[in-house]
Amino acid sequence: MTQDLGPDTGPVLELGAGTGPFTRAMLARGVRESDMTLIEFNADLAHLLRCRFPKSRVLEMDAAELRCKPLYETPLAGAAISGLPFLAIPPRQTLAILEGVFANVRAGGAMYIFTYGFRCPIDQSLLDRLDLEVTRVGHTFRNLPPAAVYRITRMKPAKIYDWRFA
């Protein structure tokens, strides 16, 4: 989940931080604690995160609220990591989460998610609607059930096509 992240990633947004396993992994990879914004819906887990990672910014909120509550004045985060169970989240809420994440992630940034399913848990129609593309970047069969990691990025704009010169 965190192999593409490091000190030059800059600010990182983590959704569903829970007890902090991905947060610890990012720290081990060199991401500064002060560069982390941790989103957690559960009040007890948010309190635990504040105690474990006092230099990080911990927000107790639903990740879908990111759509209407930008975290930065401009898209600043270099990446977003999600521990959210997208297989169990309704499409409308998933759309709100994706819109919110990519409103806070700068150009060239990515969102990383994992799933226990055999394909990306986010429906292709939602990705198409937001001009996002998904790439499988890792998996493990040692886990039961097997898990896969996906990177979601903005689609690169197509080069201008002029039919007169085709």
Side-chain angles (χ1 to χ4, degrees):
M1 274 293 277
T2 62
Q3 73 182 11
D4 291 349
L5 305 180
D8 15 329
T9 304
V12 176
L13 178 61
E14 183 178 355
L15 310 177
T19 59
F22 295 144
T23 311
R24 284 190 292 278
M26 288 187 287
L27 287 170
R29 294 202 169 272
V31 177
R32 292 188 321 222
E33 186 176 331
S34 59
D35 277 344
M36 294 185 202
T37 299
L38 312 177
I39 307 291
E40 179 54 54
F41 184 73
N42 181 289
D44 294 333
L45 291 175
H47 176 72
L48 178 69
L49 291 167
R50 285 186 191 99
C51 293
R52 286 186 177 172
F53 310 104
K55 294 179 185 170
S56 68
R57 179 179 171 194
V58 178
L59 302 174
E60 184 184 327
M61 62 185 280
D62 185 336
E65 292 177 38
L66 289 172
R67 174 196 246 173
C68 52
K69 290 184 182 177
L71 300 177
Y72 314 104
E73 288 185 27
T74 61
L76 182 64
I81 298 285
S82 176
L84 300 175
F86 280 106
L87 286 172
I89 298 175
R92 184 174 290 185
Q93 192 173 6
T94 297
L95 179 66
I97 292 168
L98 290 172
E99 285 178 334
V101 165
F102 283 96
N104 287 287
V105 171
R106 66 179 175 250
M111 178 180 183
Y112 296 87
I113 63 172
F114 80 97
T115 186
Y116 295 117
F118 294 104
R119 61 180 187 83
C120 180
I122 299 174
D123 191 69
Q124 186 63 46
S125 64
L126 291 179
L127 296 168
D128 291 344
R129 183 172 174 180
L130 297 173
D131 290 330
L132 301 173
E133 59 187 354
V134 64
T135 307
R136 184 173 165 175
V137 293
H139 65 276
T140 179
F141 295 111
R142 294 182 195 168
N143 197 55
L144 286 177
V149 177
Y150 293 91
R151 178 179 53 231
I152 301 172
T153 55
R154 290 179 183 91
M155 294 178 94
K156 293 180 177 47
K159 293 183 180 176
I160 296 174
Y161 178 77
D162 192 339
W163 59 270
R164 297 174 294 173
F165 301 106

